[in-house]
Amino acid sequence: MKRKRKKQIPCILIAGLLLLLLSVPGVRTLQAKSSTMQYNNSVFTKKLLQNTKAIRCGKTEKTAVKINQPVKETYALLAKMKLSASKGSQPAKQDGLCATLVLVKKNGGKAIYTIQGNTLQKNNKTYTITKNNPLKKLSALYSLNPAKETTALATANYPKMAAYPDEMQEGFENSYEAWSQQRRERQKAGTQLTDGVFAFYKDSANEFLSDAGSENCIYSPVNVYMALAMLAETAGGDSRSQILNLLHETDTSSLRTQAKNLWTANYRNDGATTSILANSLWLNHKVAFQQNTLDTLADNYLASSYWGDPATSEMTSELQNWVNEQTGGLLKDAVKSIKLNPDTVMDLLSTIYFRGKWSHTFRKENNDTKVFHSPGKEIQAEFMNQSNSPGTYYWGTGFGAIKLRFTDSGHMWLILPDKGVSIDSLISDGEYLDMVLAGDEWKNAKQLIVNCSVPKFDVSSEIQLNKSLKTLGVTDIFDASKADFTPLVSPENNLQPFISKARHAARVKIDEEGCTAAAFTEMMMSGAGMPPSEKIDFIVDRPFLFAVVSDTGHPLFLGAVNQPN
């Protein structure tokens, strides 16, 4: 009996190891160069069929592999491999080769395995391959070439949006109900956000917009919040605590709830209004990553993770194409400066793209040319004009404001400082943002006939976030000796990753039809005044602030315009 038991145990071990390496990233189909065969071992076949429903790479069903077709050569390689339960060993860098496999069990569960260098990892458990590492031979067998393409290690699944209902089309009532249901879901998600989210808006806006000086400065609070929330998931220890403190959250569990609600409240793509949020991580193929963290980011932040060689132009090109696609090509100049390099461990990208049409469009024939009083000089600018429009005038200490509404959506605030009042003083005081967040409930408001004159503008800016985040208390992630990213980067890499670049790029433009805006955040790891008269001329001919607000009341974009063109 003892002799039989010794024969069975290696067979069971070999069966498990075969499951580990039947899928290789970067390979669309797992057909070996030579013929395949059915291995006639009863224990091996029984274990395989009892426990596994499908074997696949990543999360898409398209790469599923039949479990009863093991490759003879693969089996021979695995039969020779020796494992040792050991943590902390440094994986050998073997041309960046990696094999990642998802086992889909018959009970619906999943098991994820990764072989990187000389280590085998399942979740947080790591084993050392002490003899006969099969990676290079598997690479030749399956034509694996990680340097030339990226592989999705985790994929986000975006929900389908109901189309904006068309009264002229058949089935309007059903379409309207589906669209209305999603609108109610957005509004409900917005009401479930805590005060901490709005506190972050105020803290960060004051810091990020305060250095505008005489230049334009644009910032998306929602976009930066999502990027920092994702970064918190990848960080640990004090690094995570500092980010959570800035976001006014106590733990990642509550943060995930807020991030989901924020995403739901502001994501819209129904044909009438476009408000697209997207997230991704771009990972170095020579580094072992914690798959459970990547899955958390995909499930809670709709972030896809891509694995490849950052030293190649191909991976940088894929990243740039992804950002351009998610931002409608609005930030092409800024995107060109996104460059991966051999030392890049991870590049985290969060994007937002917005397009809304005015409820009352401006007529081009009413445009004229006026002087815009920029700091230090005067500029001739094209102004759009509307006359005798019923509206609401809002005011606070040192400023007045109006709203330009989007069709069945949110609105854009135009916030004009009183003469002699600077933009910096309004930003420092912060009352303008209290008004933006309060919306129609703002205390100082009056119904008036508004004659509006606003310059067409197309403004963009880039903000280096390192200094501002440090001022806001997030410091350790920038210090290689203190940064903790163990939830993302496996300890056996013997790396000390830190954030080497943190920046935010945004662009907002308005014309007679509406507003188009986009932003991305990149985290690379190496008084009350006198009430107005019954009629007002609101002429925006000097530096002003603006805010693009979603239909659930969130400031998608904030900006200071000193130079309209």
Side-chain angles (χ1 to χ4, degrees):
M1 292 299 292
K2 289 184 179 179
R3 185 172 297 174
K4 284 185 177 181
R5 197 170 297 155
K6 286 181 179 179
K7 288 183 178 180
Q8 288 176 344
I9 291 175
C11 292
I12 295 173
L13 176 61
I14 289 170
L17 294 176
L18 181 57
L19 294 179
L20 300 182
L21 288 180
L22 277 177
S23 181
V24 181
V27 180
R28 296 302 177 192
T29 57
L30 297 181
Q31 296 295 324
K33 294 179 180 178
S34 56
S35 61
T36 61
M37 63 169 286
Q38 173 72 45
Y39 191 80
N40 296 316
N41 180 292
S42 59
V43 175
F44 173 81
T45 305
K46 184 177 180 181
K47 284 288 181 183
L48 200 64
L49 296 177
Q50 277 182 347
N51 298 324
T52 307
K53 177 182 179 183
I55 303 170
R56 65 184 192 233
C57 174
K59 287 190 172 184
T60 61
E61 296 290 346
K62 293 180 180 179
T63 55
V65 180
K66 292 183 179 180
I67 60 176
N68 61 348
Q69 294 180 336
V71 180
K72 180 180 179 180
E73 291 84 353
T74 301
Y75 181 81
L77 290 171
L78 298 178
K80 296 177 182 179
M81 187 171 61
K82 304 294 183 183
L83 294 179
S84 173
S86 174
K87 293 186 178 182
S89 60
Q90 183 175 7
K93 294 184 178 180
Q94 300 184 9
D95 302 325
L97 301 180
C98 178
T100 299
L101 178 68
V102 179
L103 300 184
V104 183
K105 300 178 181 179
K106 289 187 175 181
N107 62 6
K110 294 180 183 177
I112 301 173
Y113 301 85
T114 299
I115 289 185
Q116 172 77 51
N118 66 347
T119 63
L120 181 151
Q121 183 181 356
K122 178 185 178 184
N123 296 329
N124 293 323
K125 294 182 179 179
T126 303
Y127 304 88
T128 301
I129 304 173
T130 59
K131 189 176 181 181
N132 299 328
N133 191 316
L135 278 178
K136 286 190 175 181
K137 291 185 178 180
L138 286 171
S139 173
L141 190 64
Y142 293 109
S143 301
L144 176 63
N145 188 2
K148 296 298 182 182
E149 59 183 25
T150 61
T151 300
L153 298 185
T155 305
N157 296 312
Y158 281 70
K160 292 183 178 180
M161 299 293 292
Y164 186 74
D166 185 346
E167 293 184 19
M168 304 304 293
Q169 288 188 348
E170 187 177 348
F172 167 75
E173 291 184 359
N174 291 335
S175 298
Y176 181 79
E177 178 54 36
W179 179 81
S180 296
Q181 175 61 31
Q182 288 194 336
R183 180 172 61 178
R184 289 191 292 269
E185 290 174 358
R186 288 200 309 274
Q187 293 170 340
K188 180 180 178 181
T191 61
Q192 292 177 337
L193 288 164
T194 64
D195 292 340
V197 175
F198 299 95
F200 168 78
Y201 291 163
K202 297 180 70 173
D203 295 342
S204 59
N206 183 47
E207 178 61 34
F208 296 149
L209 296 180
S210 61
D211 293 331
S214 62
E215 300 300 321
N216 301 319
C217 188
I218 308 164
Y219 161 57
S220 172
V222 169
N223 179 236
V224 174
Y225 184 98
M226 292 299 294
L228 287 171
M230 291 171 59
L231 194 65
E233 293 282 0
T234 70
D238 290 341
S239 297
R240 173 180 286 181
S241 296
Q242 290 171 1
I243 301 173
L244 290 175
N245 288 338
L246 174 57
L247 300 179
H248 298 272
E249 293 296 337
T250 56
D251 53 51
T252 54
S253 178
S254 60
L255 180 62
R256 290 166 198 165
T257 300
Q258 295 307 304
K260 275 189 172 181
N261 286 332
L262 188 63
W263 193 94
T264 302
N266 293 290
Y267 184 89
R268 185 171 173 183
N269 188 20
D270 57 9
T273 298
T274 301
S275 181
I276 304 294
L277 286 70
N279 302 310
S280 65
L281 290 86
W282 300 78
L283 308 171
N284 191 320
H285 66 253
K286 292 184 178 181
V287 178
F289 294 94
Q290 305 281 23
Q291 184 66 42
N292 56 338
T293 299
L294 301 182
D295 291 339
T296 295
L297 291 168
D299 295 339
N300 294 278
Y301 301 86
L302 286 90
S304 297
S305 295
Y306 301 99
W307 174 91
D309 186 353
T312 64
S313 60
E314 287 86 356
M315 187 171 182
T316 289
S317 179
E318 284 192 50
L319 190 163
Q320 292 176 344
N321 290 340
W322 182 89
V323 178
N324 281 325
E325 181 180 355
Q326 300 303 327
T327 56
L330 207 63
L331 296 167
K332 286 184 177 180
D333 290 341
V335 170
K336 288 179 183 177
S337 63
I338 299 178
K339 303 286 186 182
L340 301 176
N341 59 71
D343 295 328
T344 301
V345 174
M346 172 201 73
D347 206 13
L348 183 154
L349 274 300
S350 182
T351 65
I352 183 171
Y353 177 69
F354 176 87
R355 188 174 67 242
K357 184 178 180 180
W358 306 128
S359 295
H360 299 287
T361 58
F362 291 83
R363 299 180 63 178
K364 193 173 182 65
E365 57 266 31
N366 291 335
N367 290 6
D368 61 11
T369 300
K370 292 186 179 73
V371 174
F372 186 91
H373 305 281
S374 291
K377 61 180 177 179
E378 295 185 345
I379 298 174
Q380 295 291 321
E382 183 180 4
F383 277 67
M384 304 183 298
N385 302 291
Q386 285 181 349
S387 300
N388 298 319
S389 299
T392 305
Y393 179 77
Y394 305 81
W395 71 94
T397 304
F399 67 88
I402 63 171
K403 284 181 184 179
L404 299 180
R405 296 188 181 275
F406 300 114
T407 301
D408 287 316
S409 184
H411 49 269
M412 175 182 244
W413 287 94
L414 297 175
I415 304 158
L416 185 65
D418 294 344
K419 288 185 178 181
V421 177
S422 69
I423 284 181
D424 286 344
S425 65
L426 292 189
I427 293 172
S428 177
D429 179 72
E431 187 182 11
Y432 82 96
L433 192 51
D434 292 333
M435 178 193 67
V436 168
L437 297 177
D440 290 334
E441 297 180 5
W442 182 243
K443 56 187 176 182
N444 300 324
K446 190 171 185 178
Q447 296 296 312
L448 296 173
I449 298 297
V450 177
N451 297 322
C452 173
S453 186
V454 58
K456 293 173 65 172
F457 65 81
D458 183 350
V459 295
S460 59
S461 72
E462 288 192 33
I463 304 172
Q464 300 302 320
L465 300 178
N466 302 49
K467 179 181 177 181
S468 294
L469 288 176
K470 290 177 182 178
T471 301
L472 292 169
V474 180
T475 58
D476 285 9
I477 63 173
F478 300 106
D479 187 336
S481 65
K482 296 179 180 179
D484 181 353
F485 287 101
T486 51
L488 176 69
V489 180
S490 301
E492 69 267 16
N493 288 286
N494 281 358
L495 289 173
Q496 186 56 59
F498 66 99
I499 298 301
S500 57
K501 183 199 299 184
R503 67 172 182 142
H504 181 71
R507 180 182 174 189
V508 176
K509 62 178 182 177
I510 67 170
D511 57 20
E512 294 83 3
E513 298 297 320
C515 172
T516 304
F520 72 77
T521 300
E522 179 186 17
M523 299 284 184
M524 183 177 283
M525 199 172 260
S526 311
M530 291 297 292
S533 61
E534 294 301 315
K535 195 170 186 177
I536 187 169
D537 295 333
F538 194 81
I539 302 174
V540 188
D541 63 351
R542 55 185 179 273
F544 62 97
L545 299 174
F546 70 82
V548 177
V549 181
S550 69
D551 58 347
T552 53
H554 291 266
L556 301 180
F557 295 86
L558 300 173
V561 177
N562 287 288
Q563 315 281 346
N565 53 36

